[in-house]
Amino acid sequence: MSEKKRIDAVNYALLAICFAAILVSGILTGQKWFKMLPALVSLFVFFLNSRVNRLGFLIGGLNSLLYGIGYFTEGLYGLLIQAVAVSAPVQLFTFARWKKRAYGNATELKRLPVKWEIVLFVFAAAAWAAAFFAIRELAGANKSALDVTCLVFGTAATFLTMFALMESLVFQVGNILSSLAIWCIQIAEGQFAELTYFIGTVFSTYCTAVLCVNWIKLYKKQRAEKTLPATEGKV
């Protein structure tokens, strides 16, 4: 068996295990269907995104609307805003944009100049501070620091991904680690019904790591292809 087939076998096995784990834990803990369904769908979205497949954005955009219902019941308003007002419409637009600028199942990846990277990270820090002080004043707001990190980092990652910018990887990693922390705390506090979210986020963390590797490989491949014509014919 080739290395690629072994990796695919591992990925499919993890997908199946996580799907079964979410389904079983959701039933045993009495998780509401509108919180369990998007967690199940997300497994396929994470899997497609890790393979840099634009179809993941189409499914993910529609699934974000379902997530919004669960976030509202948890008082996670940052995640609610990010899912319904940002993630859903932008992911659908990203699918259309990537399809228009297709490169296989993906698109052409780019990177910002260093000066614009600095501007981006400074702006993200300012946005986090402003959002934190606003969100924590809302009635029922829960875990505001981590919630706002998911809001700001998730929003930044969503828009940067839309334009296929490599800087999105930094924000995707920050977003998924913050999400994982939220559900770990929820379970530690005895909210075992949130196991569905936790299992999905663990799988998403793995897929994010795979996504980073695949984005970097694809970016290097595309850069090599661009420089090839300039070097051809040289001795």
Side-chain angles (χ1 to χ4, degrees), residues 166-188:
M166 292 297 292
E167 288 77 13
S168 70
L169 299 183
V170 175
F171 292 96
Q172 290 194 56
V173 171
N175 177 46
I176 196 60
L177 292 180
S178 297
S179 296
L180 185 61
I182 286 177
W183 304 122
C184 283
I185 294 172
Q186 294 278 73
I187 293 171

Side-chain angles (χ1 to χ4, degrees), residues 86-226:
V86 179
S87 184
V90 175
Q91 282 197 78
L92 293 175
F93 183 78
T94 300
F95 170 74
R97 191 175 188 278
W98 277 39
K99 186 176 181 181
K100 186 176 180 181
R101 296 168 173 78
Y103 180 95
N105 291 325
T107 190
E108 184 178 350
L109 304 177
K110 300 178 292 294
R111 182 178 176 180
L112 292 172
V114 174
K115 65 177 181 180
W116 288 112
E117 286 183 336
I118 295 173
V119 171
L120 172 65
F121 292 123
V122 169
F123 181 79
W128 187 94
F132 174 73
F133 289 111
I135 292 291
R136 75 171 184 173
E137 297 301 323
L138 296 177
N142 191 15
K143 301 171 183 64
S144 297
L146 290 171
D147 188 26
V148 168
T149 302
C150 290
L151 168 62
V152 175
F153 278 52
T155 299
T158 299
F159 280 101
L160 292 170
T161 299
M162 179 175 66
F163 294 104
L165 292 170
M166 292 297 292
E167 288 77 13
S168 70
L169 299 183
V170 175
F171 292 96
Q172 290 194 56
V173 171
N175 177 46
I176 196 60
L177 292 180
S178 297
S179 296
L180 185 61
I182 286 177
W183 304 122
C184 283
I185 294 172
Q186 294 278 73
I187 293 171
E189 291 175 347
Q191 301 182 44
F192 298 113
E194 307 308 332
L195 276 170
T196 53
Y197 282 166
F198 173 74
I199 295 169
T201 304
V202 169
F203 183 70
S204 176
T205 302
Y206 167 75
C207 287
T208 298
V210 175
L211 177 150
C212 289
V213 172
N214 287 337
W215 269 57
I216 292 170
K217 286 182 177 179
L218 182 59
Y219 178 68
K220 289 182 177 179
K221 178 184 176 183
Q222 291 175 350
R223 287 195 64 187
E225 289 176 354
K226 285 184 176 181

Side-chain angles (χ1 to χ4, degrees), residues 14-33 35-41 43-44 192-200:
L14 288 174
L15 176 62
I17 291 171
C18 289
F19 187 94
I22 289 176
L23 191 60
V24 172
S25 64
I27 293 173
L28 293 178
T29 59
Q31 178 66 288
K32 297 179 178 61
W33 70 268
K35 297 178 73 174
M36 186 162 60
L37 178 59
L40 291 171
V41 174
L43 296 178
F44 298 95
F192 298 113
E194 307 308 332
L195 276 170
T196 53
Y197 282 166
F198 173 74
I199 295 169

